[in-house]
């Protein structure tokens, strides 16, 4: 699929520079401690209280408006149909490239949304847990295409989301280990009756993840709001290479790590290997499967070269 340029169609987004965006916060005001910030950001992804206050507090305020409207609509439906429909979670999807900072965005959003006045229960699920186990990927000759649409058990992911939107109180989902580079067969994450569910992954806005005939159901069909984390390709490449080098010097040193084989590479060899993985796997996936989904999002967070958000685009209503 060829990426769509912004010039292909009329612009459906309102664009806000960071200075304007931060002034939209209104009433949302909380204090986070240093330990909170340390737990929220990922390796080589800088995060500070200014970023949270100026970007994520206004975003939480905006999402609160949507959540309130969602609740009002449910109440009005109950009145119209003269029945009481149980509360269903408001589901937020977060998409974007490998190394762009989706996980940090998801964790920060989970934290700030939990601080809303209604004190909602917020749960976070990553689609890594819905990757096929390595043994299945090996059988299908897909191990080197991990992260591509065909490497996901999309049916299980759709069943999970359908269960959430059907009102099931407790659902167990698979857990993925980046250390083992595989699904943990004996471990499950239990999602119990959340008010807000955040689903984060590179594939969540894709519409070509099912190879079925006729009309299909897509992951994003279950979302009430979708966010895409964006950055210039050259910056994402640099972040990926820097992260790989940092992991080589830390996590890869653990003999139990799947990537321990890279632990003794020199810095030059490490950079070369990271470039090779990027060019052979992550770049084609970004160009063919991830980037074309950007304009399916309700909101786009555009990052600058230092990993901080510089522009926010919000779909017009």
């Amino acid at each position: 699929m060829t990426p769509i340029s912004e010039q292909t169609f009329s612009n459906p987004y309102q664009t806000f520079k960071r200075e304007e965006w931060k002034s939209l916060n209104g009433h949302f005001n909380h204090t986070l401690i240093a330990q909170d910030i340390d737990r929220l950001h990922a390796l080589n992804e800088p995060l500070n209280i200014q970023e949270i206050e100026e970007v994520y507090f206004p975003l939480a305020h905006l999402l609160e408006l949507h959540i309130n409207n969602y609740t009002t609509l449910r109440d009005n439906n109950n009145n119209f149909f003269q029945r009481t429909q149980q509360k269903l979670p408001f589901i937020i999807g977060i998409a974007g490239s490998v190394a762009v900072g989706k996980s940090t965005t998801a964790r920060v959003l989970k934290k700030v949304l939990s601080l809303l006045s209604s004190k909602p229960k917020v749960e976070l699920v990553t689609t890594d847990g819905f990757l096929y186990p390595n043994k299945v990927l090996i059988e299908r000759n897909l191990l080197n295409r991990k992260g591509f649409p065909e490497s996901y058990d999309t049916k299980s992911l759709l069943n999970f989301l359908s269960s959430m939107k059907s009102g099931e109180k407790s659902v167990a989902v698979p857990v993925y280990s980046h250390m083992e580079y595989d699904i943990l067969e004996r471990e499950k994450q239990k999602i119990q009756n959340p008010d807000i569910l955040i689903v984060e992954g590179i594939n969540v806005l894709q519409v070509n993840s099912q190879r079925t005939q006729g009309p299909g159901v897509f992951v994003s069909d279950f979302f009430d709001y979708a966010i895409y984390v964006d950055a210039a390709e050259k910056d994402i490449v640099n972040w990926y290479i820097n992260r790989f080098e940092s992991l080589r010097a830390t996590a890869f040193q653990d003999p139990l790590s799947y990537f321990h084989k890279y632990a003794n590479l020199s810095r030059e060899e490490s950079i070369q290997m990271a470039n090779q993985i990027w060019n052979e796997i992550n770049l084609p996936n970004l160009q063919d499967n991830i980037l074309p989904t950007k304009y399916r999002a309700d909101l786009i967070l555009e990052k600058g070269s230092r990993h901080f958000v510089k522009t926010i685009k919000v779909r017009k209503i």
Side-chain angles (χ1 to χ4, degrees), residues 57-197:
F57 280 7
L59 178 54
H61 190 182
L62 174 64
L63 287 170
E64 184 179 30
L65 298 178
H66 284 268
I67 293 166
N68 290 341
N69 286 338
Y70 175 79
T71 302
T72 299
L73 180 59
R74 184 189 68 232
D75 293 341
N76 289 339
N77 270 332
N78 284 340
N79 290 333
F80 179 82
F81 293 115
Q82 298 180 16
R83 61 180 61 181
T84 301
Q85 176 186 293
Q86 65 191 102
K87 178 190 69 175
L88 300 176
F90 185 91
I91 302 183
I92 300 168
I94 300 179
S97 171
V98 169
V100 79
K102 299 180 307 303
S103 298
T104 294
T105 293
R107 286 192 294 268
V108 174
L109 201 53
K110 178 185 177 185
K111 178 65 178 180
V112 297
L113 287 174
S114 71
L115 299 174
L116 292 174
S117 58
S118 60
K119 302 301 180 192
K121 180 180 181 182
V122 187
E123 295 278 15
L124 168 62
V125 169
T126 71
T127 60
D128 289 343
F130 293 93
L131 285 160
Y132 285 114
N134 284 355
K135 62 183 179 182
V136 175
L137 295 176
I138 292 169
E139 288 171 1
R140 300 181 183 183
N141 197 29
L142 290 174
L143 190 60
N144 285 335
R145 290 181 67 80
K146 183 177 279 195
F148 283 72
E150 60 269 29
S151 67
Y152 289 91
D153 185 353
T154 306
K155 182 178 179 180
S156 292
L157 176 55
L158 290 171
N159 285 340
F160 162 66
L161 292 169
S162 178
S163 295
M164 287 286 96
K165 281 299 191 182
S166 297
E168 289 193 29
K169 298 296 184 182
S170 180
V171 181
V173 298
V175 175
Y176 184 82
S177 167
H178 288 277
M179 173 71 74
E180 298 186 23
Y181 195 59
D182 204 353
I183 300 296
L184 299 177
E185 293 185 0
R186 299 183 180 181
E187 196 168 327
K188 298 288 184 181
Q189 178 186 3
K190 187 170 287 187
I191 306 299
Q192 295 182 300
N193 198 28
D195 299 301
I196 302 170
L197 174 66

Side-chain angles (χ1 to χ4, degrees), residues 192-230:
Q192 295 182 300
N193 198 28
D195 299 301
I196 302 170
L197 174 66
I198 299 172
V199 181
E200 175 260 311
I202 61 176
N203 61 322
V204 297
L205 295 180
Q206 292 169 16
V207 296
N208 60 343
S209 56
Q210 291 176 289
R211 308 301 183 187
T212 56
Q213 296 297 321
V217 179
F218 306 113
V219 171
S220 59
D221 290 341
F222 295 93
F223 294 163
D224 299 294
Y225 203 84
I227 297 170
Y228 187 94
V229 185
D230 194 24

Side-chain angles (χ1 to χ4, degrees), residues 6-24:
E6 294 185 49
Q7 287 72 38
T8 305
F9 47 78
S10 299
N11 186 5
Y13 293 94
Q14 304 177 72
T15 300
F16 299 89
K17 293 297 183 182
R18 181 167 171 145
E19 283 300 308
E20 182 182 7
W21 177 259
K22 72 179 184 180
S23 69
L24 302 177

